[in-house]
Amino acid sequence: MPRQVDHEERRRHIAEAVCALIDAQGLEGVTLRDVAARAEVSMGAVQRCFRSKDEMLRFALAHIGQQVTERARARLLAAPAQSAASTVGHVVGEVALLREEHRAQARTWLAFLAAAAVDPALAAGLRDGYADLEGLLTRLVAEASAAGDAAPDGAASGGAASGGAAPVDARGEARTLLALADGLTAHVLIGHRTAREAEELLHAHLARLWARG
């Protein structure tokens, strides 16, 4: 008997095809026929997975957000012994998509971001993704501040361990870090900054954060 198709697995496979097409020719160039050809499935298979092109695009956007969040969480599990402060830097680096192997995903993400400015449904999906990341970063910043972790240059960061310093506004800093990550993504993609320069800017911001914590 033929192997039963995993519906969610096929939806993710089609989402990958959508993202590849967006990276190659932009969001406006994506058609159901091209997606079917890229995913090497029939048009009927695409239509059984998604009732419309809009639904397919929303799923692809959520798929990217899930991948980024999963990589960020994987960094937490891969190095549980590192300081909470350095963990924040690693997670924001994942969100900013600075590594070369994530450059195509960064281009696709920004294409969705531009489209979401005039598409309320895509905008709602982006807000959900940002809310998840903001929650994760808020927790990590709060942990780093409470632990009084050392700043990247080895200087004391303050926080609860050093005594007397005001606690860091964890949610406010998480929002700032997300905005910084998006800005760095765009600057690297257009060649205004190199990935190394973007990482240095991120590390400098975090050093200032822990120094005043």
Side-chain angles (χ1 to χ4, degrees):
M1 293 181 63
R3 185 175 70 88
Q4 185 175 4
V5 174
D6 183 314
H7 185 66
E8 283 305 306
E9 179 183 346
R10 172 160 285 180
R11 279 161 64 89
R12 290 190 293 270
H13 176 66
I14 291 172
E16 288 290 337
V18 171
C19 293
L21 283 171
I22 293 172
D23 180 43
Q25 57 197 43
L27 201 68
E28 66 283 353
V30 174
T31 67
L32 293 177
R33 187 175 302 280
D34 286 344
V35 169
R38 184 81 182 211
E40 298 183 334
V41 299
S42 67
M43 278 279 290
V46 174
Q47 292 169 327
R48 283 191 294 274
C49 287
F50 302 103
R51 291 169 295 183
S52 67
K53 177 181 173 179
D54 287 344
E55 181 185 342
M56 181 178 68
L57 291 176
R58 290 195 298 272
F59 183 86
L61 172 59
H63 179 65
I64 294 176
Q66 183 179 29
Q67 288 181 315
V68 173
T69 302
E70 286 176 354
R71 283 201 301 266
R73 294 187 187 281
R75 291 297 296 262
L76 305 183
L77 297 175
Q82 67 186 1
S83 72
S86 61
T87 297
V88 172
H90 290 318
V91 169
V92 178
E94 291 291 345
V95 173
L97 300 170
L98 297 179
R99 295 208 297 271
E100 181 63 34
E101 61 265 32
H102 298 150
R103 204 58 50 79
Q105 193 171 63
R107 289 191 292 267
T108 305
W109 178 262
L110 286 188
F112 271 120
L113 190 64
V118 294
D119 186 326
L122 286 178
L126 277 170
R127 289 195 297 271
D128 288 343
Y130 280 129
D132 289 343
L133 289 169
E134 183 180 305
L136 174 61
L137 282 172
T138 297
R139 176 174 63 81
L140 293 175
V141 171
E143 289 175 359
S145 177
D149 282 330
D153 62 0
S157 67
S162 63
V168 168
D169 174 7
R171 185 167 296 280
E173 291 299 338
R175 291 169 176 169
T176 299
L177 287 168
L178 278 178
L180 176 61
D182 269 358
L184 293 176
T185 303
H187 285 199
V188 170
L189 281 182
I190 66 172
H192 183 58
R193 292 280 178 262
T194 66
R196 180 180 292 276
E197 288 171 337
E199 289 172 355
E200 290 171 351
L201 285 168
L202 172 59
H203 293 159
H205 174 82
L206 289 171
R208 290 191 296 272
L209 167 61
W210 307 132
R212 67 175 187 266

